[in-house]
Amino acid sequence: MNSAIRRLAVAAIILMLALIANSTYLQAFRSNELNGRNDNRRVRNEQFSVNRGPILIGNTLIARSVPSKDQYQYQRTYSSGPLYAPVTGYYSYQFGRGGIELNQNSELNGSDPSLAFRRVVDVLTGKAQEGASVTLTLNAAAQQAAYTALGDNKGAAVAIEPKTGKVLALVSKPSYDPNLLASHDLSKASDAWKSLNASKNKPMSNRAIKELYPPGSTFKLVTSAAALSSGKYKPDTQVNSPASLPLPQTTVPLPNENGRNCGGSDRATLTVALRLSCNTAFASVGLDLGADALREQAEKFGFGERQLPELGAAASQFPGDPNEPQVAQSAIGQFDVRATPLQMAMVAAGIANKGTVMKPYLVQSVRTADLKTVSETKPEELHQAVSPEVASELTAMMVDVVKNGTGKPGQISGIDVAGKTGTAQSAKDRPPYAWFTAFAPANDPQIAVAVIIEDAVGVGRDDIAGGKLAAPVAKKMMEAVLGR
Amino acid sequence: MSIASTSVIQIIPRTRRGVELMLLILAVGVSVAAYVNIGLTVQDKVPASTGYYAAGIGLLALIAHLALRYRAPYADPVLLPCAVLLNGLGVAMIHRIDLGIAEDRLARGLDAKAAAAPQQITWTAVGVVLFLVVVLVIRDHRRLQALTYTAGLAGLVLLVLPLIPGLGVNLNGARIWIHLAGMSFQPGEFAKLCLVVFFAGYLVVKRDVLTLAGHRFLGLDLPRARDLGPIGIAWVVSLGVLVFENDLGSSLLFFGLFLFLLYVATERAGWLIIGGLLFVGGAFFAYTAFGHVHSRITDWLDPFSIDGGQIAGGLLGQAWGGILGRGLGQGHPEWTLYGNSDMIISSFAEELGLTGLIAILLIYTLIIERGLRTALGCRDIFGKLVATGLAMSFALQVFVIVGGVTGLIPLTGLATPFMALGGTSLVANWAIVALLLRISDQARRPQTPAAPVSDETIAMAVQKQ
């Protein structure tokens, strides 16, 4: 009998070893996979219990974690939540994160490899894990100016420092309050999430970088850049500018917005055509240059690439293979040309910066809780869009637009502003989009902006024009940065 | 005086009661440390109930130890400390989950009462009382052999009790509980004990016929068809438990137990093979015929496909524990469904990590192997079989429940011995350990009196070897 008992003893040990082997597999090798699951409450709770680092603008905290007495140790709070929501994003228990909260998550919660040394020190000194702070490039005054000036209109505004690519303002309206989503009252947060997503005004869509719009006449800057760069055109080159341009392969002509020719003549200089924003003039220039030249020029300004990918920005597009009438439409920013407000601000910034487009960025620096710098963003060149000569020719033409043309509402006394208006048609049944893009001062650019108003509240359809609606917003932003 | 005679005198077995006392102090110390640790992490203070807990566990351990000293001085010195440690850690974890549940409920604005730990301490006391009864009343385990058929009948009655209308209740899908005088019991836990006695007593009588009669087939000694009766009945009864009480775990346990004892009694592997085939057949039948078996298997194969699946919750907890654990009081075992009962192993794995889990499994292994060691040393067949049965029932139970919780095999609702919240199981386990200790006392007791012996007796003893 004893030999049978001994065999059972061995069998029992094998059973226990099987348990140990399986648990080892589970807890040592499969744990990462299980801990990475989205529905893992423990992981979320752990992150909610970390003292998450703040998000700053200059020395101002726009997002920070304050101790909380409930089941999670810290409450994320956003001062001026709706103002900065398109940048900060939100930090929610159930709905995850968005914006910088999402993109800089590992820095903010202190788990990033770059903070590993700090973490070891914390463990050794018995301190709780503390996240790093993220300082943004935003200019509080410009952001606030754009937010106020946009008012109740549906739209967006972006400002860039042309020399560096720093994003100075990034506003989307209507906005939302991330505090609602960060609430520890989970049912309240859930209600807020539902109603924000159900709203037809889409307050959570980041219009400044994620929505693509027809750029309309602001795209004439790209067409002008292509024309001047081709060597065939000078600012005073005469181009065809009839009231209505017969398009090849079609019986439908392309008219000017006001139904008249350009400044009283069927021929106008490029400068005058830009000043008055004549469709027929730029359509004929576009037909002359061809789709490829236009696309190449657009791409040099950043079309076809995702800028600020960390915020989930969309790539602006120039149509792939347009036929001739479509090329004519594209040259004036219609047909399938689509751009984000950020992209149009980059066009202005590129011209302002002697033709060099800088890569836009939002995060200035990351610092540990004891203010040691972990990383600092350095300006980076994206493309040489045009030569410095072409850039200065374009600048002069844009200054003329604001001084004498459609861009008059963008004027700032004592400073030369370079700008371009746009009024873009999208669908027949909806009002056009009002655009304005500009930079100032023209001789030493400090800020380049783009503003779009998607839906103007209380404005008749005929009164919608980039100059009237969007230029005042851009003007306020420029004044804020220039200290006017 | 020859050299041989001195060496014989020197191997007189020692009682090792002092060793047991040291181990008990260690076990109680570890348990109290765990309890205090939990209070410090969860509530930032030494729990007010520490005295109650420490005195309770310590006193019970001391009483059990004194009973052994007095009535079973040669009993195995390791079994009792292992039982005390597991019991103590179990109460600590139940207390920890009490605190966690109370916190969760407070956060949701609900009444914060959760007091399973004091209840478990009370049951521990009842368990130790039964331990004393077994150790003090049953002076010789061989007397139990006279109760073979009584035990068998009692086992069956206990098994059937939950099926009596008005007495039995359905809980979590299984009908294995009875409600009596405002309390609930799980009679199956005691049926296990009775059936081990019955199986052992029956096999002592029948082992010759089961061993000798039969024919060889494909190299195996197969029993005669009519001798298949007992195993057939065990198979049918275990399936019956499954069918009528929806209790997968117990049916596996009863069937496995009988099979192991049959194997030890006859030493014929043929029984294991026949039993194995019957088990596979039964399992397949159950899988196709019963919805709840089917859903257990589905939940096992893909734990996350079912919303709020029990295994999934436990797996997430265990993964969160990782290799070293979150630390006592620093995980969230209260989020695991049945984290203090069915899934208590997952709770330990979360807070003590793989390391702690392996330590706990090793303590279980120690109990099992010490039980089988007792069976090896036991001089009578009945005692051997009972000890084997009790040790293997422990092994099966630990394997089935831990394997289920860690995802090795489909989950079945068996209690984790000594740890899981639940009175009947705890009390029954204390009785099992008492019986094992009683048998080990017999096994380790020197056969000849330790009084001065003549050279002739020693010479005879040497010759016998």
Side-chain angles (χ1 to χ4, degrees), chain A residues 227-455:
Chain A
L228 296 172
S229 299
S230 72
K232 291 199 271 182
Y233 294 85
K234 282 280 150 200
D236 55 1
T237 305
Q238 297 273 341
V239 296
N240 266 337
S241 59
S244 178
L245 185 74
L247 292 177
Q249 303 168 22
T250 171
T251 53
V252 188
L254 187 138
N256 274 336
E257 180 75 1
N258 55 13
R260 281 176 285 180
N261 64 16
C262 203
S265 162
D266 280 2
R267 298 278 287 175
T269 63
L270 213 49
T271 303
V272 170
L274 195 73
R275 178 196 302 158
L276 303 176
S277 200
C278 300
N279 289 344
T280 54
F282 286 96
S284 52
V285 170
L287 281 172
D288 176 36
L289 296 171
D292 291 342
L294 291 176
R295 186 181 310 104
E296 262 170 47
Q297 184 62 67
E299 282 171 359
K300 283 184 183 168
F301 279 112
F303 276 72
E305 297 164 6
R306 284 152 60 90
Q307 308 306 333
L308 298 182
E310 61 266 36
L311 292 192
S316 303
Q317 333 154 345
F318 188 86
D321 187 21
N323 61 26
E324 289 221 339
Q326 290 166 345
V327 172
Q329 295 273 354
S330 300
I332 59 167
Q334 298 287 164
F335 183 54
D336 276 347
V337 183
R338 294 284 181 273
T340 60
L342 172 68
Q343 175 60 65
M344 294 323 291
M346 285 167 68
V347 170
I351 296 169
N353 191 36
K354 301 192 172 73
T356 307
V357 183
M358 301 301 288
K359 191 176 155 71
Y361 63 95
L362 258 171
V363 174
Q364 182 63 58
S365 62
V366 176
R367 279 177 294 177
T368 57
D370 52 3
L371 299 180
K372 287 209 180 71
T373 303
V374 177
S375 71
E376 180 91 40
T377 314
K378 298 268 180 298
E380 212 180 301
E381 278 186 29
L382 194 63
H383 302 292
Q384 185 70 36
V386 291
S387 65
E389 297 74 41
V390 170
S392 81
E393 287 168 355
L394 282 168
T395 303
M397 288 163 67
M398 288 170 75
V399 169
D400 177 59
V401 168
V402 175
K403 230 175 217 156
N404 310 311
T406 52
K408 279 179 185 164
Q411 288 174 357
I412 302 172
S413 67
I415 288 174
D416 275 347
V417 175
K420 180 69 193 90
T421 58
T423 309
Q425 315 289 340
S426 53
K428 282 254 173 337
D429 53 340
R430 60 149 295 138
Y433 300 116
W435 278 95
F436 189 69
T437 180
F439 60 87
N443 54 351
D444 176 27
Q446 304 294 316
I447 172 174
V449 301
V451 175
I452 183 173
I453 290 176
E454 198 177 309
D455 261 337

Side-chain angles (χ1 to χ4, degrees), chain B residues 25-86:
Chain B
I25 291 170
L26 192 66
V28 172
V30 168
S31 303
V32 173
Y35 198 81
V36 171
N37 184 349
I38 285 164
L40 285 175
T41 25
V42 180
Q43 298 177 308
D44 292 324
K45 59 171 198 241
V46 176
S49 49
T50 304
Y52 170 65
Y53 172 84
I57 302 274
L59 207 64
L60 291 172
L62 186 67
I63 293 170
H65 169 72
L66 290 177
L68 289 182
R69 235 176 226 275
Y70 175 53
R71 276 296 166 82
Y74 289 97
D76 186 292
V78 180
L79 278 171
L80 181 63
C82 284
V84 168
L85 180 57
L86 290 173

Side-chain angles (χ1 to χ4, degrees), chain B residues 89-359:
Chain B
L89 286 177
V91 175
M93 179 53 76
I94 290 167
H95 171 66
R96 188 261 168 277
I97 291 173
D98 276 354
L99 296 179
I101 291 174
E103 237 178 28
D104 257 14
R105 288 177 67 88
L106 265 182
R108 281 185 289 156
L110 297 169
D111 170 32
K113 227 171 164 172
Q119 192 188 323
Q120 185 80 345
I121 294 185
T122 311
W123 281 114
T124 307
V126 176
V128 172
V129 168
L130 192 63
F131 176 94
L132 297 177
V133 169
V134 172
V135 171
L136 300 181
V137 174
I138 304 177
R139 305 291 301 275
D140 186 340
H141 66 269
R142 280 168 292 196
R143 289 189 194 169
L144 290 176
Q145 198 177 347
L147 300 173
T148 299
Y149 289 94
T150 319
L153 188 65
L156 281 180
V157 168
L158 285 170
L159 263 186
V160 172
L161 273 183
L163 294 176
I164 297 172
L167 197 61
V169 280
N170 269 319
L171 221 68
N172 308 332
R175 195 180 174 94
I176 51 176
W177 293 82
I178 58 167
H179 268 183
L180 201 65
M183 292 193 287
S184 44
F185 304 93
Q186 212 177 338
E189 290 284 347
F190 282 101
K192 184 169 63 188
L193 199 58
C194 293
L195 288 177
V196 166
V197 172
F198 168 65
F199 289 162
Y202 175 85
L203 289 171
V204 167
V205 179
K206 300 279 182 174
R207 64 186 286 252
D208 286 346
V209 80
L210 288 167
T211 314
L212 300 175
H215 40 256
R216 282 184 78 82
F217 179 67
L218 292 175
L220 288 171
D221 287 318
L222 291 183
R224 292 183 309 192
R226 67 161 179 254
D227 297 327
L228 286 173
I231 202 172
I233 291 171
W235 182 66
V236 169
V237 168
S238 55
L239 260 185
V241 172
L242 174 64
V243 174
F244 294 111
E245 302 185 1
N246 287 0
D247 187 5
L248 274 172
S250 298
S251 57
L252 174 65
L253 187 63
F254 297 143
F255 185 67
L257 261 184
F258 182 66
L259 209 56
F260 288 145
L261 291 188
L262 203 52
Y263 169 63
V264 171
T266 62
E267 293 193 293
R268 290 173 69 163
W271 287 113
L272 287 181
I273 291 168
I274 292 170
L277 290 176
L278 282 173
F279 170 74
V280 171
F284 184 74
F285 169 70
Y287 173 70
T288 48
F290 310 124
H292 69 279
V293 181
H294 197 276
S295 69
R296 295 263 185 184
I297 306 242
T298 323
D299 195 16
W300 171 57
L301 290 175
D302 191 0
F304 291 97
S305 65
I306 301 165
D307 199 33
Q310 198 179 341
I311 300 180
L315 291 182
L316 289 180
Q318 292 165 65
W320 190 230
I323 293 175
L324 293 177
R326 312 306 299 186
L328 271 178
Q330 290 175 290
H332 282 288
E334 74 275 14
W335 288 348
T336 304
L337 193 61
Y338 306 119
N340 57 10
S341 55
D342 283 13
M343 306 293 283
I344 198 163
I345 277 295
S346 156
S347 302
F348 276 105
E350 179 172 355
E351 300 216 318
L352 298 181
L354 178 62
T355 323
L357 179 65
I358 290 179

